[in-house]
Amino acid sequence: MPDAASSTPSLPEPFEELTLDELRTRTSIKWTMYEPDVLPLWVAEMDAMPAPAVVEAITDALRRGDVGYPSMGTSYADALAGVAARRWGWELDVSATQTVADVLTGVFASITLLTEPGDAVLVPSPVYPPLHEFTRQMGREVVPVPLTAEGRLDLGEIEAALAHPRAKVLLLCSPHNPTGTVHTAEELRAVADLAEGHDVEVIVDEIHGLLVPRGTTFTPWLTVVDTGLVVTSASKAFNLAGLKAAVIVGGEGSREKVEALPHSLAYGVSHIGAIGHRAAWQHGDAWIDAVNANIVSNSAFLAELLAARIPAIGYRPVQSTYLAWLDCTALGLGEDPSVAFLERGRVALNAGPTFGPGGEGHVRINIAASRATLTEAVGRMASVL
Ligand SMILES: Cc1ncc(COP(=O)(O)O)c(C=O)c1O
C-alpha cells in the first residue's frame, strides 16, 4: 500500500468538502434510514460531491432535453473500455457486452442464465449481503466459501466447495467487499483453473475496481481468462448509485453467454444515468485519484483513532474501497456489535452477520467521510464500552 503522506501531497480531499449539515439535507437511504441523532456510516454512499464532469454532463443533458429512452448502442461499454485500457491495460471487446440497470440486476441475470433452481452458487464469504441473500431468494443453494484469516481467497476451500454435486457458479467479488482485498492475478488464475476443472462458471462483480489506489494493482478478471461474466458499473467508484446503469462483459470464450442474455435488460438503464456514468469514466480520472488518496489517508486515520480509543478492535487498513471491516469479537458485544453501537452509541454501521459466515462479531464502517465524522463515530463507539 502506498504511503498516504508521501504519495498524495497536493490532491484535494473530497471527504472534507461537505459539512454534516449539508449532508443531512440529502434524501438517499444513508440519510433517511435512521433517526436524525444517529451518525450514519453504513451503506456504501460517499460523503462527497460528484465529479464535476458528471454534474456538467447531466446538467447539459437536462438543458437540452436529452431525457429519453436509453440508447441501445455500445456507448456505455465504450466508455468502460476507455477507462479499462487507460488504467488497467484491459482491451475489452464491446461487442461482447450487455447493458443492465445495475450490477445486482446483472449478477442475477447471469445467475438465471447459468443455473437452474436448486443449483449451488459458491460465494467466498463474508461478502456484500445481497450477493448471497438475493441468490438464495432465487431458489439457488448458496454455498459460503471461507476466506483465509487474512481475508484472501482460500484456494483449498474453493477447491473443496467446487466438489459440491450441484455447483454451477462461483460468484467472486473483486475487489472484495467488505475486506477490501484486491485479488492478485495469480489468485485469479488459480481460481479460473480450478473452476474450469470442475466445469463451473465464474461471475465476477468488479464494481469496486476503480477504488484501488495508485500503486496497488487491480486485475480485471477478463485479462486473466477469456471466460466468465464480469458485471461492473461507474456507480460505486463515482458515488452515483441513484443513477442506474451497469454492464455485463464477456470474453471470447463467454461471448455466446452474453448473447444469450435477454436484450430487454438494456431497457432498465436510466438514460440520464448512463450519461453521468460515461462522463465519469471518460473524464473522472483526477476525481477518482483524489478519492482513492483520501481513502488511503482516512484508513490510516481510522487505524490511529482505533488504536487510541478502542485498541481491542482488530483492523487491517483497507487495500481498496472505502468500506472497513472491523473485528469486534474482543469487545464482548456478541454476534452483532452493530446493535449496541446503534442503540447506545447512536452510530449506524453494517451488521457483520449479514455478510454471511465469518461476519459474526464484526461491523463494517464506511470511511468515505470527513475526519471529524470518523472521530465522532469512533468516540460514539467507545462510549458504548
Ligand atoms: C460488491 C457490490 N456489488 C454490487 C453493489 C450494488 O451495485 P448496484 O447499485 O449497481 O446494483 C454494491 C453496492 O455497494 C457492492 O458493494
Side-chain angles (χ1 to χ4, degrees):
M1 179 175 303
D3 177 89
S6 64
S7 65
T8 58
S10 57
L11 289 176
E13 294 187 298
F15 308 141
E16 297 298 327
E17 283 166 10
L18 295 168
T19 65
L20 207 47
D21 284 344
E22 286 167 331
L23 288 161
R24 283 200 187 277
T25 68
R26 291 184 174 178
T27 56
S28 61
I29 193 169
K30 180 173 186 177
W31 299 98
T32 52
M33 184 72 148
Y34 298 102
E35 300 291 309
D37 67 318
V38 170
L39 194 61
L41 294 95
W42 62 293
V43 68
E45 294 180 18
M46 298 183 200
D47 294 356
M49 286 301 287
V54 173
V55 178
E56 277 163 33
I58 290 179
T59 308
D60 174 61
L62 288 173
R63 287 218 174 93
R64 290 182 297 100
D66 186 6
V67 286
Y69 291 110
S71 145
M72 291 287 148
T74 60
S75 59
Y76 190 79
D78 290 337
L80 171 63
V83 74
R86 264 193 333 271
R87 294 187 79 105
W88 308 316
W90 173 24
E91 302 292 335
L92 76 91
D93 180 356
V94 297
S95 72
T97 61
Q98 171 66 55
T99 50
V100 280
D102 52 35
V103 164
L104 288 179
T105 302
V107 168
F108 299 119
S110 303
I111 291 176
T112 303
L113 179 77
L114 300 173
T115 65
E116 300 288 336
D119 283 343
V121 177
L122 317 182
V123 194
S125 302
V127 75
Y128 175 60
L131 294 183
H132 59 83
E133 280 171 12
F134 294 0
T135 304
R136 203 172 283 116
Q137 283 166 22
M138 293 170 69
R140 273 60 173 176
E141 182 186 351
V142 171
V143 179
V145 185
L147 301 170
T148 67
E150 292 73 40
R152 305 210 68 86
L153 294 173
D154 188 323
L155 296 175
E157 293 283 1
I158 290 175
E159 187 166 20
L162 284 164
H164 187 293
R166 292 201 66 173
K168 288 284 167 10
V169 160
L170 172 64
L171 177 53
L172 291 185
C173 187
S174 176
H176 193 86
N177 171 4
T179 56
T181 308
V182 181
H183 311 310
T184 64
E186 294 70 30
E187 287 169 328
L188 295 174
R189 153 67 53 203
V191 169
D193 288 345
L194 287 171
E196 194 187 338
H198 288 80
D199 211 13
V200 164
E201 300 285 347
V202 182
I203 300 172
V204 191
D205 174 344
E206 293 189 352
I207 196 170
H208 290 273
L210 276 175
L211 289 167
V212 173
R214 298 266 186 199
T216 302
T217 304
F218 167 66
T219 305
W221 174 260
L222 288 168
T223 61
V224 173
V225 278
D226 75 349
T227 55
L229 296 176
V230 167
V231 194
T232 196
S233 167
S235 66
K236 193 59 37 200
F238 289 94
N239 202 33
L240 304 172
L243 301 181
K244 292 278 180 184
V247 64
I248 303 173
V249 188
E252 206 37 52
S254 46
R255 168 184 299 279
E256 282 176 12
K257 305 236 160 52
V258 174
E259 285 166 1
L261 288 160
H263 298 311
S264 57
L265 284 166
Y267 208 67
V269 172
S270 152
H271 176 55
I272 205 85
I275 287 172
H277 286 207
R278 283 207 312 267
W281 275 334
Q282 285 166 343
H283 309 294
D285 281 13
W287 188 91
I288 199 75
D289 284 341
V291 158
N292 283 328
N294 209 161
I295 293 169
V296 171
S297 60
N298 272 6
S299 173
F301 185 70
L302 177 68
E304 281 169 26
L305 279 176
L306 291 173
R309 303 292 309 272
I310 325 177
I313 287 185
Y315 173 52
R316 197 180 303 112
V318 291
Q319 246 194 319
S320 73
T321 88
Y322 54 93
L323 305 166
W325 188 233
L326 305 184
D327 181 351
C328 303
T329 43
L331 301 183
L333 296 177
E335 286 253 304
D336 183 0
S338 74
V339 174
F341 290 137
L342 177 63
E343 288 178 359
R344 308 210 301 271
R346 309 306 283 161
V347 56
L349 310 173
N350 286 88
T354 62
F355 292 77
E360 309 82 8
H362 287 70
V363 294
R364 193 190 74 176
I365 183 170
N366 177 339
I367 62 169
S370 69
R371 285 184 285 278
T373 296
L374 292 176
T375 306
E376 174 69 18
V378 173
R380 290 182 183 212
M381 290 166 71
S383 74
V384 168
L385 304 173

